[in-house]
Amino acid sequence: MKAAPFDYARPKSLGEAASLLAAHEDARIIAGGQTLVPMMAMRLARPTLLIDIAHIDGLSGICEEGAQVVIGAMTRQASAEKSSLVHAKLPLLAAALPWVGHTPTRNRGTVGGSVANADPAAEIPLVLVTLDGEVRWQSEKGQGGCKANEFFAGPMSTELPASAILTEVRFPVWDGGNIGVGFHEASARRSDFAYVSAAAQVQLDGNGKCIRCALGIGGATPFPVKLDAACAALEGTMLDAKDIAAALVADVAGLDIMVDGHASPAYRRRVAAALAARALSDARDAATGVRA
Amino acid sequence: MKITLHVNAGERTVDVEPRTTLLDCLRDELRLTGAHSGCEHGVCGACTVLIDGEPARSCLMFAPQAEGYEITTVEAMSPAPGELGIIQDAFCAAHGMQCGYCTPGMILTAHALLKHNPSPTRAEIVEAISGNLCRCTGYGQIVEAIELAAQRLRGANTEAAR
Amino acid sequence: MNERPKFRFVSADRRVREDRRFVAGMGKYVGDIAEAGMLHVAIVHAPYTAAKIVSFDASRALAMPGVVAVVEGEELSTNVEPLMNGLDTPKVQRYPLAVKHVRYNGEWVAAVVAQTRAQAEDAAECVDVEYEPLPFVIDAEEAYRPSSPPVHAAHGSNVLLDRTFNWGEIDEDFAASDHQLSLRVTWGRSSTVPLETFGVVAMWDPWAEVMDVRASIQMPKYADQIARAMRLPGNAVRVHYDIDVGGSYGVKRGIKHTVLACYLSMKLKQPVRLIEDRLENMSSGDAHGPDRIFDIDAAFNRDGIVRSMKMRALDNAGAYAGRAPFQLGKPIGAIVGPYKINSVRYHAVSVTSNKAVQEAVRGFGQSPTNYAIETMMDRVAEHLGMDRVEIRRRNFIRADEFPYLIPSGTRYDSGDYHTVVDKVMKHVDWPAFVAERDRLRANGAYAGIGIAACLEPSGGNSSFEPLLNPANTTTTWMESCRINVDALGNITATIHTTSSGQGHETLASTVIGEVLEFDPDSIRIVRTDSLTSLPGNSPVGSRMAVMLGGSCYLAANKLKKKLKAIAAHQFDCAPEDVDYVQGVLRAKDGRTLKWAEMVNIAHRNFHLLPEDCEPGLEVTNVYQVPTGTDLPTADGRVQMYPCHSFEFHCILVTIDPDTGKVDIPRYVIGHDCGTVINPHIVKGMTLGGIAHGLGAALMEEFVYDGEGQMMAQSFMDYLLPSSHEVPQVEIVHHCTPSPFTVMGQKGSGESGYLGAPAAISGAVNDAVRSLGIRFNRLPMRMTAISDAIAEAKSKQSN
């Protein structure tokens, strides 16, 4: 299991990286490499040039910009996991990050890499979609970006333009109090890729009524999806079990379930509904200060 | 290509193909054979080393990517040839291994855990080693070894204690 | 019977001496070997499930950088003998590389040798092979039908073994019983999957004419098999035993890898290293385990006594015979488990199919068999509405009935099953344990209790070989030890095998230290190579505590005897009148000779030695396995292994009603392996065995699709339990010494694994009983559990 031969470049600037990427047809960006390297070891990926962006200034870091938290693409998942800003402003991402691989892979794996790889079961893309985040990129032609729900195109496939480099990921921060989150996964081993995952973030008013709701499903579909209709239906309810069940029916029935050998389509659809309900009720309880 | 690695507090220059993983580089070029090859696709953790003090899979990194980081292998865990560090000794006391193949990865993972968290709960230990597969022990004695090491390190009260 | 003998070092809380090198990263594994000029091998794999090789062209590969040679099956098969066949099936020939035909997807077609492994892999992609696909068979029942396409056309069918044993008056017992029931359970194909793959470095020395082999091996007669295949004299193969093996649990038997590497080294006159990568290990390392369907008929009385059992075991061996058929044979030695079942019909069928080859897996077929027997006991209890523990108690062999002869010819050595169960019931507070399950159920959870009472036959012989292959008359199955006291009085002992984590150095030093009353830490243990070794059979069949322990014990006593003879000569008394206490020889009149004096006489004062006494203090012992000395009877009865450890699992599981995930909040095992030599080692084997059994029960399977593609080729798809999945285990100890071994010890290397799958299956089935569903197949994947629960619930609500 040795990778096919390739050349290695370590550009010092984003511009240099973008030029290299544009000039070589089979070039690939490597950030943390936690997904790409195994693919290369199995020769399922065979870039002829590997462009290592780990040493480019400005690609790492977490900061707040207006109503968003901006995470540089090269930011290690472990750094985001430990970030007090993430914990304070992005509780859903903070809840999801411990589910991303293992500590050793989070130490190397990056936030941007996870998004760019677009594994259907990956947690960071799920949170990004659920919160209506954005991605930004740069190519020789300049900067670009799009909404998360326009970015993911299928398993391991995105709308990132050819020869563009993902530079940052932007997560909206919810204003105000009484915000709670819930995150659940079904996987054979705790740290395996999820058959199904569910992420929920809700905000309640002083009476416990839901005034804002975000709910997303991962693993079940070719890329993570936000259940917009369910979210809309739940706003204005008390998020009790009946409300949740009723709101989920149509959206879950409409999911474009992925077919593979790991779980039956029926499993994915059923468990998507179950985990969504758990995530929502956890989020509700957290928002009201009840410990799940 | 020629690369220079900082390994176990020393500097080593090697000439490798870019496709050489850090694992293969450590083992074949530097003859540091404590990191083991178990799956070469990042699942088993037998190849764990510390990169800037934190555990990582050396099979999931090409050697040129490792330039500029401090790499620590199990060979640096012994205070001197023939002497065991506290964590190593605790693994011996609890028999936290059988065949020894996953052991270097477990020792380094325990080292990083106890550096951050001197009094881990059982659940925290289980979480910390969950990325390191062991096929022999069922993990029970490994958890006990780390509990014992934590207890002894707290008693030792010295930064140098491993 | 149940008094614990007094030992100083045996059974004491002492460290495992091997651990020091492992924690320092100083173990010496095959992958750590770097010989000057060493070449590396990559494999060309078959992309078809069954096909004829139409053409082979390596010219592109040979032109690539670093490539030294490409060898395919036709060349290899004219230069080496076929690999050893256990059964008398001469037309089922197996070579390290496919010859003319490929018989499973991934089978090795050619070996590419290059300066580096990466170069060899590059070139392997450029070997051009043309195939013509052929019909294939994947399913065992289909393969058993005469109409199925034979995997080996020359053999004529897919049947390797089809034998029915009748032990006792089966039909009479069935007729006389109050009740009967039938069941089918299936054990999916899994294996031990060590973290280290198999590897070998072969180095032909053309000047000495010796083949040096260093390998991660755990296999009896390895050197002999290499020599036979390579057409070399036995004394031209030197297997080095000082290689640490990174886990095995039975499967590290890479004879095909070894013969290939040896051939390449001899051809190229350079050291050759062949280490499987993980993908090769999973798809084509020929190290899969049993793949078995059990059909059982049980006959029992209304009081729960099981009188008779008919069992058919149909095993899918894969493309070549390997060890698979014998893994149907070994369980004959404990075919009734711990129960007094009066008669048994056992129909053992092994068929070839277009799957990868099996190898010996921990327990050698016993764990699947235990799963089948224990499922039967649960069904009988359910049928009668009886408690599952009570039904086992009623059927157990009683402590006063040992040695106990079972219908298939094995005499169980000892046991006290009722007491072990009592201890476990007390430990868990059985009424409270049941109440906890019921409390969980009342809260809406699927909760279940699992029970398994199993035997671990140990002390491994190979009685199954003559039983299943009359051409094989092997009854000898020895292990050896040599002890030397040097001229400075220090003790060194040799052992004659590699180890894969069992702690044999600790075992040997502990036993020798015990007998000679020396601190075991002062005794050096060294490993020989196959040319300097005494006969042995490697650590298989849970045998080393019994066999290496026994040999060390006898060798040390032989040394003691020699010391007494020498001392008696000085004291001018009879050797029987000399006492040995902590290295000091003492006459009845109080005269003593200290250790140093004894060493001096033995090494330097020939004039003081008795007549016929060899100088020096060196002894050897070659120890034959206790009890296993007879060939099978005509009606197929034979004494299988000498010792029988007992384990009683009592566990509580919960199932997530939505995801189907099984959690094990409580896992208790009562364990009795007689005298424990090192408690740390036995504990580790038990905990590790349970983790391994959990994998087989819930997660691990080499799944094949209908086209013969193996779907679990990586660690992403074949799931080994991690620390999250393995429960904290409570062990309840008991010690019933074996009367057949030197210190009362029995084996423990398979413990835990032999009962965990049965217990987990029982618990999951208990949890879903209210839904009217059953899981009859392992592994029980969470997704399948969830799907079945959902289907049952939807039926219930309709």
Side-chain angles (χ1 to χ4, degrees), chain C residues 35 38 200-204 211-214 257-266 270-274:
Chain C
E35 297 287 351
M38 188 165 75
V200 54
V201 175
M203 192 162 62
W204 173 248
M211 182 70 77
D212 277 293
V213 177
R214 293 174 172 84
H257 317 54
T258 305
V259 171
L260 176 59
C262 287
Y263 172 72
L264 294 171
S265 179
M266 199 177 246
Q270 275 179 272
V272 170
R273 164 172 137 157
L274 168 50

Side-chain angles (χ1 to χ4, degrees), chain A residues 31-32 54 74-81 106-111, chain B residues 69:
Chain A
M74 195 58 221
T75 307
R76 307 284 176 187
Q77 292 153 5
S79 305
E81 189 183 2
R106 292 197 293 276
N107 283 333
R108 303 313 305 159
T110 63
V111 172
Chain B
Y69 299 109

Side-chain angles (χ1 to χ4, degrees), chain C residues 541-771:
Chain C
S542 204
R543 69 194 292 274
M544 286 316 232
V546 172
M547 294 305 299
L548 179 58
S551 188
C552 290
Y553 178 93
L554 294 170
N557 273 298
K558 202 169 172 181
L559 181 67
K560 237 182 190 176
K561 193 174 168 192
K562 178 168 181 170
L563 287 161
K564 283 183 183 177
I566 295 171
H569 191 64
Q570 320 308 312
F571 298 144
D572 199 19
C573 67
E576 306 82 73
D577 294 332
V578 178
D579 276 343
Y580 177 101
V581 181
Q582 293 183 37
V584 177
L585 284 294
R586 188 183 303 271
K588 286 218 179 301
D589 61 9
R591 281 178 297 165
T592 60
L593 280 165
K594 297 200 176 89
W595 182 256
E597 294 170 300
M598 293 301 300
V599 170
N600 201 47
I601 292 169
H603 274 279
R604 300 186 186 88
N605 300 146
F606 192 73
H607 59 285
L608 296 180
L609 291 183
E611 208 176 332
D612 297 333
C613 178
E614 291 176 3
L617 285 172
E618 186 265 357
V619 293
T620 62
N621 171 268
V622 183
Y623 178 49
Q624 159 69 347
V625 63
T627 73
T629 52
D630 292 330
L631 285 171
T633 60
D635 63 347
R637 294 173 206 248
V638 71
Q639 173 74 38
M640 209 70 71
Y641 294 4
C643 301
H644 298 81
S645 300
F646 178 67
E647 58 193 54
F648 182 72
H649 301 244
C650 180
I651 72 171
L652 178 65
V653 309
T654 59
I655 303 173
D656 184 307
D658 295 315
T659 66
K661 191 152 188 173
V662 174
D663 186 38
I664 309 182
R666 192 94 193 267
Y667 202 116
V668 181
I669 180 172
H671 187 230
D672 180 357
C673 65
T675 301
V676 168
I677 293 173
N678 183 294
H680 292 292
I681 292 176
V682 171
K683 178 179 172 183
M685 289 289 167
T686 305
L687 301 187
I690 288 170
H692 185 188
L694 181 149
L698 297 174
M699 298 161 76
E700 299 177 29
E701 187 176 10
F702 292 111
V703 178
Y704 282 79
D705 71 6
E707 300 301 305
Q709 283 269 6
M710 211 275 280
M711 309 302 285
Q713 304 216 1
S714 80
F715 274 2
M716 313 284 275
D717 301 308
Y718 188 98
L719 306 181
L720 306 182
S722 82
S723 56
H724 281 305
E725 287 72 47
V726 180
Q728 197 168 0
V729 174
E730 300 153 61
I731 304 178
V732 176
H733 296 283
H734 190 70
C735 176
T736 314
S738 174
F740 299 156
T741 62
V742 296
M743 293 178 162
Q745 77 273 35
K746 305 178 180 186
S748 70
E750 297 156 358
S751 68
Y753 182 63
L754 296 186
I760 293 169
S761 166
V764 168
N765 277 300
D766 186 41
V768 299
R769 185 164 293 127
S770 63
L771 293 166

Side-chain angles (χ1 to χ4, degrees), chain B residues 85-96 145-146 148-149 152, chain C residues 15:
Chain B
I86 288 180
I87 295 172
Q88 292 171 313
D89 191 67
F91 269 72
C92 292
H95 189 43
I146 297 173
L148 180 62
R152 288 181 176 172
Chain C
R15 288 190 175 202

